[in-house]
């Protein structure tokens, strides 16, 4: 078996290419082919011409059955009736089966010069028919193989170039002819179908209940309309054909231009909502769909118009009614909802969406609702709802987390059940009760505040009475002493020596100092509360300021062990020396008053971030945790008996707090393990010059 590129040496005595008159033979075959009306009419003549021109015994055409995937016998010519059996016995081939199948699959010309024992030729009835050589040429429709031209000889036959060209040329012409014939048959079928479609379309066009109009695509001139279109716009066919919709004021030209632009961009227009004006001037709402069609080679638009005027009116009425309902619900701050179990549908009013902080129109589920409920109330709401769908009443109040705001709502529902007790649906309302809850909370707060104020007033009254008693005592004690010693000195019946007189006057002077100190404290407190206390700060190294007041502090703590822990490199601080001395003497005086003799009082100074911190610690009874903030209030003293037995008006710490804060500092009671108290204050360092 050989393909097209093989060259064979002709054995002696065989047919030579020069024995063929190829060009006239080819011309005659081709002329006869193209003069025929069909292949069936020309097949015998054409195949016979090939046989006579090539000296073949049999010439056949096998054509591809694309649906079955087989190569079938189509037509044949034979020099003698005996060779007919070769064709009839081998009428069908699968791909790669036999020489025709191989030619079909490979798309290349095949031939056998001397079949001999070749298995591809052996299965034919070649020996009985006396056939000894063959050529198989693919017949093409452009690039696809649509058949195989089979040529068989009674003697061994080599394939020379001239014979190959003849067979290829003839097969190409047969392929072209068959292709043209198939195209013509398809065209005739299409025309028949088109005629049927045209008649069907015309009938559907004119009988359609939907308004249809055909116009020129570019200009919009009306070519045809159906009865429904005439009924829609109120014009007769004669008034519409060959006119333009915009000249009849049916539509706005710019609106049609917009629709045509959509058609060109998208390929079609679907349900574009617009309006048309009828002959009577009425405005109708329509949905427009448009497709481009070709009529006699011209681009046209097939347009359908679906009248939705009644639907739009109903929608508008429903919208107005819904707006009224939404407005009423917004004013009343009451939303509504509807549940349809059969449709698995939960519908909320706009006000309900607003209250729950969910975008209007968001698809809803029970989980959506529950997620908007305040996390602390979800279990309660779910429990009440589950009870409701078992038949229990549903009337609850709970919180919702609407955006960043927490609001209160009251929900009530009436659920519907079928005869078997299965939930079918229900209707409910949601009322925003946030303002009511706020009023209730405010009322509760006021009641609590009133009770607290009453208790505080009672406590203040008690404190005031105790304070008045204490102040009276504190003022009366030095005055009594002054009065007593002054009266003694002025007595006429006793003469005192100079030393005794001096002692009495010293006592009077000390008592006057105590009285002056108490009056000064009351005045300082009054100025602090009025915001009128003046300080005169200057930049002073803190160590220097502390050293200046130490003698006074040692005198105050003369019955105690006073220890000062202050590094030498303390920074400069903006302070009023006199007021700092007042703070330190008050704090050391308190420590001395509340701690036993010979106990340790420590003044520790250290530099901290941004300032200087001073800690005054004693070994007294300490200050209970619950009183550590209140001791800085005016007239506030410890709650134990010892505090009330200790002399003082309860003004020292309040004045210290005001003075420290006037310097931009802070003061507090430190926690410490064991007995005693630690009062600390911090002053900021001076800004660099």
């Amino acid at each position: 078996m050989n393909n097209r590129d093989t060259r064979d040496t002709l054995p002696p005595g065989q047919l030579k290419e020069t024995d063929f008159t190829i060009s006239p033979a080819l011309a005659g075959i081709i002329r006869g082919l193209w003069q025929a009306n069909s292949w069936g009419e020309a097949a015998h003549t054409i195949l016979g011409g090939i046989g006579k021109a090539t000296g073949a015994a049999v010439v056949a055409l096998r054509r591809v059955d694309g649906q079955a995937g087989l190569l079938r016998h189509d037509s044949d010519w034979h020099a003698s009736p005996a060779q007919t059996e070769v064709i009839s016995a081998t009428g069908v081939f699968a791909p790669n089966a036999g020489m025709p199948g191989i030619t079909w699959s490979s798309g290349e010309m095949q031939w056998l010069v001397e079949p001999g024992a070749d298995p591809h030729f052996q299965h034919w009835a070649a020996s009985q028919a006396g056939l000894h050589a063959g050529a198989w040429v693919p017949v093409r429709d452009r690039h696809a193989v649509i058949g195989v031209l089979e040529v068989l000889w009674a003697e061994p036959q080599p394939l020379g170039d001239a014979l190959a060209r003849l067979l290829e040329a003839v097969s190409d012409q047969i392929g072209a002819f068959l292709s043209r014939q198939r195209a013509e048959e398809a065209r005739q079928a299409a025309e028949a179908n088109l005629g049927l479609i045209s008649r069907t379309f015309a009938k559907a066009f004119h009988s359609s209940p939907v308004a249809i109009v055909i116009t020129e695509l570019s200009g919009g001139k009306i070519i045809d309309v159906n009865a429904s279109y005439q009924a829609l716009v109120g014009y007769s066919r004669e008034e519409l054909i060959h006119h333009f919709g915009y000249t009849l004021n049916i539509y706005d030209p710019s609106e049609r231009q917009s629709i045509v632009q959509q058609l060109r961009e998208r390929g079609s227009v679907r349900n574009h909502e617009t309006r048309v004006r009828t002959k009577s001037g009425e405005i109708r709402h329509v949905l427009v769909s448009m497709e481009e069609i070709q009529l006699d080679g011209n681009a046209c638009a097939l347009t359908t118009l679906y009248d939705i005027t009644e639907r739009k009116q109903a929608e508008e009425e429903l919208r107005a009614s819904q707006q009224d309902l939404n407005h009423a619900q917004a004013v009343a701050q009451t939303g509504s909802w509807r549940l349809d179990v059969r449709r698995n549908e939960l519908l909320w009013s706009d006000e309900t969406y607003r209250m729950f902080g969910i975008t209007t129109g968001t698809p809803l589920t029970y989980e959506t609702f529950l997620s908007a409920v305040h996390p602390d109330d979800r279990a309660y709401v779910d429990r009440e709802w589950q009870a409701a769908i078992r038949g229990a009443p549903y009337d609850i109040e709970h919180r919702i987390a609407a955006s960043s705001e927490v609001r209160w709502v009251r929900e009530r529902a009436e659920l519907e059940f079928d005869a078997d007790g299965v939930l079918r649906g229900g209707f409910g309302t949601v009322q925003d009760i946030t303002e009511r809850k706020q009023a209730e909370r405010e009322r509760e707060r006021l009641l609590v505040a009133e009770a607290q104020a009453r208790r505080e007033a009672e406590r203040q009254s008690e404190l005031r009475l105790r304070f008045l008693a204490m102040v009276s005592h504190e003022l009366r004690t030095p005055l009594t002493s002054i009065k007593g010693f002054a009266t003694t000195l002025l007595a006429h019946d006793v003469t005192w020596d100079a030393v005794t007189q001096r002692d009495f006057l010293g006592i009077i002077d000390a008592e006057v100092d105590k009285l002056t100190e108490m009056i000064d404290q009351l005045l300082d407190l009054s100025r602090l509360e009025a915001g009128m206390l003046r300080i005169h700060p200057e930049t002073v190294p803190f160590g220097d300021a502390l050293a200046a007041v130490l003698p006074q502090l040692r005198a105050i703590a003369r019955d105690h062990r006073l220890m000062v822990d202050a590094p030498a490199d303390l920074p400069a601080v903006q302070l009023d020396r006199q007021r700092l001395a007042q703070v330190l003497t008050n704090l050391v005086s308190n420590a001395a008053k509340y701690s036993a003799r010979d106990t340790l009082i420590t003044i520790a100074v250290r530099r901290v971030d941004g300032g200087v911190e001073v800690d005054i610690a004693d070994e007294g009874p300490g200050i209970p945790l619950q009183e550590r903030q209140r001791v800085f209030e005016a007239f506030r003293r410890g709650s134990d008996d010892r505090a009330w037995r200790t002399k003082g008006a309860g003004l020292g710490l309040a004045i210290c707090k005001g003075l420290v804060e006037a310097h931009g500092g802070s003061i507090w009671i430190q926690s410490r393990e064991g007995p005693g108290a630690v009062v600390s204050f911090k002053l900021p360092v001076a800004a660099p010059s």
Side-chain angles (χ1 to χ4, degrees):
M1 182 177 68
N2 302 280
N3 60 25
R4 178 66 180 84
D5 296 329
T6 304
R7 293 292 180 267
D8 294 293
T9 303
L10 293 174
Q14 288 190 349
L15 192 63
K16 305 290 193 299
E17 287 185 17
T18 53
D19 293 336
F20 295 97
T21 308
I22 290 185
S23 295
L26 177 60
I29 294 169
I30 293 172
R31 185 167 51 253
L33 175 64
W34 291 100
Q35 288 176 349
N37 294 320
S38 68
W39 173 251
E41 176 184 313
H44 189 76
T45 302
I46 299 305
L47 297 179
I50 296 171
K52 294 173 184 177
T54 61
V58 176
V59 181
L61 177 66
R62 302 183 186 275
R63 295 177 70 173
V64 174
D65 181 349
Q67 186 173 0
L70 297 171
L71 190 66
R72 299 185 183 277
H73 171 260
D74 177 83
S75 50
D76 62 83
W77 171 89
H78 44 84
S80 66
Q83 281 106 15
T84 305
E85 296 299 326
V86 176
I87 305 305
S88 60
T90 56
V92 179
F93 290 88
N96 287 311
M99 295 305 293
I102 292 172
T103 305
W104 173 27
S105 298
S106 67
E108 296 180 354
M109 181 189 297
Q110 308 291 331
W111 75 91
L112 291 172
V113 174
E114 177 59 57
D118 193 304
H120 297 288
F121 197 77
Q122 216 175 36
H123 71 280
W124 293 340
S127 58
Q128 293 86 343
L131 301 175
H132 296 281
W136 294 266
V137 187
V139 177
R140 303 176 186 277
D141 175 3
R142 295 186 179 177
H143 301 293
V145 176
I146 60 173
V148 174
L149 179 65
E150 186 175 27
V151 184
L152 305 174
W153 286 272
E155 299 294 336
Q157 176 64 41
L159 184 69
D161 285 343
L163 180 55
R165 285 197 302 273
L166 170 65
L167 295 177
E168 286 178 337
V170 171
S171 68
D172 288 344
Q173 292 297 314
I174 292 173
F177 183 84
L178 292 175
S179 177
R180 188 190 72 171
Q181 178 180 306
R182 185 164 57 184
E184 179 63 20
E185 290 171 352
R187 184 188 65 79
Q188 292 174 0
E191 287 180 351
N193 288 336
L194 183 60
L196 177 61
I197 292 171
S198 297
R199 290 189 298 273
T200 303
F201 173 78
K203 184 176 180 180
F205 176 83
H206 289 290
S207 62
S208 173
V210 179
I212 307 176
V213 58
I214 300 175
T215 60
E216 291 180 350
L217 185 60
S218 57
K221 184 168 69 175
I222 298 174
I223 298 174
D224 201 359
V225 297
N226 67 353
S228 297
Y229 185 84
Q230 298 172 54
L232 173 65
V233 299
Y235 289 94
S236 67
R237 179 181 176 81
E238 291 72 21
E239 291 174 310
L240 293 167
I241 300 300
H242 302 309
H243 290 83
F244 298 87
Y246 62 86
T247 61
L248 297 174
N249 204 25
I250 295 175
Y251 56 79
D252 188 321
S254 62
E255 179 69 5
R256 182 184 186 277
Q257 185 177 1
S258 172
I259 297 173
V260 171
Q261 183 65 28
Q262 292 181 47
L263 175 66
R264 287 171 174 161
E265 291 175 355
R266 305 175 188 173
S268 65
V269 176
R270 292 287 181 271
N271 296 327
H272 176 89
E273 186 172 330
T274 186
R275 299 181 299 174
V276 295
R277 186 186 300 274
T278 68
K279 186 176 181 180
S280 65
E282 180 186 6
I283 299 298
R284 307 293 294 180
H285 295 268
V286 294
L287 290 178
V288 172
S289 296
M290 182 181 289
E291 294 280 353
E292 181 177 347
I293 62 174
Q294 295 290 324
L295 291 180
D296 299 328
N298 297 318
C300 297
L302 174 67
T303 306
T304 61
L305 300 91
Y306 182 71
D307 191 349
I308 59 170
T309 305
E310 283 72 21
R311 191 190 81 185
K312 291 287 289 186
Q313 291 171 348
E315 288 176 352
E316 188 59 35
E317 292 172 0
L318 180 60
R319 187 179 299 109
S321 175
Q322 187 64 46
Q323 286 176 348
D324 290 344
L325 176 61
N326 290 341
H327 185 66
Q329 289 190 353
V331 171
Q333 292 187 315
T334 301
S336 61
W337 55 264
R338 179 73 187 175
L339 172 66
D340 189 329
V341 174
R342 181 175 57 84
R343 295 182 179 178
N344 193 25
E345 187 175 67
L346 176 61
L347 302 176
W348 280 5
S349 68
D350 289 353
E351 181 65 9
T352 307
Y353 274 111
R354 185 198 65 77
M355 280 192 286
F356 278 82
I358 298 175
T359 304
T360 302
T362 301
L364 299 169
T365 63
Y366 179 67
E367 288 70 23
T368 307
F369 154 72
L370 206 59
S371 67
V373 175
H374 192 280
D376 294 343
D377 294 348
R378 284 176 191 163
Y380 162 70
V381 172
D382 183 55
R383 185 171 60 251
E384 292 298 306
W385 176 253
Q386 298 303 325
I389 62 179
R390 292 192 298 271
Y394 188 74
D395 187 348
I396 63 172
E397 295 179 358
H398 63 85
R399 290 166 295 175
I400 56 176
S403 302
S404 59
E405 182 183 13
V406 175
R407 303 192 68 81
W408 278 90
V409 295
R410 180 185 181 186
E411 287 197 70
R412 290 183 287 181
E414 291 186 3
L415 302 184
E416 302 164 356
F417 301 89
D418 62 16
D420 298 324
V422 178
L423 180 66
R424 295 175 52 194
F427 177 81
T429 60
V430 185
Q431 182 182 7
D432 190 334
I433 59 171
T434 305
E435 292 180 0
R436 192 196 83 190
K437 284 291 186 179
Q438 289 173 343
E440 290 176 355
R441 286 198 302 271
E442 181 63 15
R443 180 175 175 274
E444 292 173 359
R445 187 191 67 79
L446 290 175
L447 289 174
V448 171
E450 181 185 2
Q452 290 176 341
R454 188 182 307 111
R455 288 193 297 271
E456 182 64 19
E458 293 171 354
R459 189 177 61 83
Q460 290 293 338
S461 177
E462 181 183 355
L463 287 174
R464 190 159 44 249
L465 292 174
R466 296 180 71 177
F467 168 72
L468 289 173
M470 180 270 300
V471 169
S472 298
H473 173 74
E474 293 294 326
L475 290 174
R476 187 178 292 112
T477 298
L479 286 174
T480 301
S481 180
I482 292 170
K483 177 66 176 175
F485 283 103
T487 301
T488 301
L489 287 173
L490 294 173
H492 297 290
D493 57 344
V494 180
T495 301
W496 304 98
D497 58 48
V499 174
T500 301
Q501 291 180 12
R502 186 170 184 83
D503 288 342
F504 287 175
L505 290 174
I507 293 171
I508 291 172
D509 182 64
E511 294 299 327
V512 169
D513 287 343
K514 291 179 182 179
L515 191 61
T516 301
E517 180 185 1
M518 181 173 292
I519 293 171
D520 286 342
Q521 285 185 340
L522 288 170
L523 290 174
D524 283 345
L525 181 64
S526 177
R527 293 189 188 101
L528 283 169
E529 290 179 345
M532 298 176 62
L533 182 69
R534 299 288 182 265
I535 62 172
H536 305 284
E538 56 182 314
T539 303
V540 181
F542 193 85
D544 294 351
L546 177 61
V549 75
L550 269 178
Q552 187 177 353
L553 300 179
R554 294 189 186 281
I556 294 171
R558 57 183 173 272
D559 295 330
H560 298 74
R561 290 177 287 119
L562 180 66
M563 185 177 72
V564 179
D565 179 12
D569 59 345
L570 289 172
V573 179
Q574 281 280 332
L575 55 81
D576 184 322
R577 290 174 180 265
Q578 179 183 349
R579 296 302 184 182
L580 174 64
Q582 188 175 352
V583 170
L584 289 170
T585 55
N586 275 345
L587 295 178
V588 172
S589 176
N590 271 1
K593 287 178 184 178
Y594 287 96
S595 57
R597 285 173 173 269
D598 295 326
T599 57
L600 181 65
I601 297 175
T602 304
I603 301 174
V605 186
R606 65 181 182 278
R607 182 169 187 164
V608 295
D609 185 23
V612 172
E613 184 176 312
V614 181
D615 303 327
I616 292 89
D618 61 52
E619 295 180 345
I623 301 173
L625 180 63
Q626 65 272 17
E627 295 185 5
R628 289 179 182 175
Q629 288 297 325
R630 294 189 297 182
V631 294
F632 291 105
E633 299 174 6
F635 312 120
R636 175 72 66 175
R637 305 183 72 187
S639 58
D640 59 351
D641 292 337
R642 179 174 179 177
W644 285 100
R645 289 197 304 269
T646 303
K647 292 183 178 181
L651 302 176
L653 287 178
I655 293 172
C656 288
K657 181 175 184 292
L659 293 176
V660 169
E661 290 179 349
H663 282 80
S666 58
I667 187 168
W668 66 96
I669 306 296
Q670 283 201 37
S671 298
R672 68 175 292 179
E673 295 182 2
V678 180
V679 182
S680 302
F681 68 90
K682 175 184 175 182
L683 297 177
V685 298
S689 301

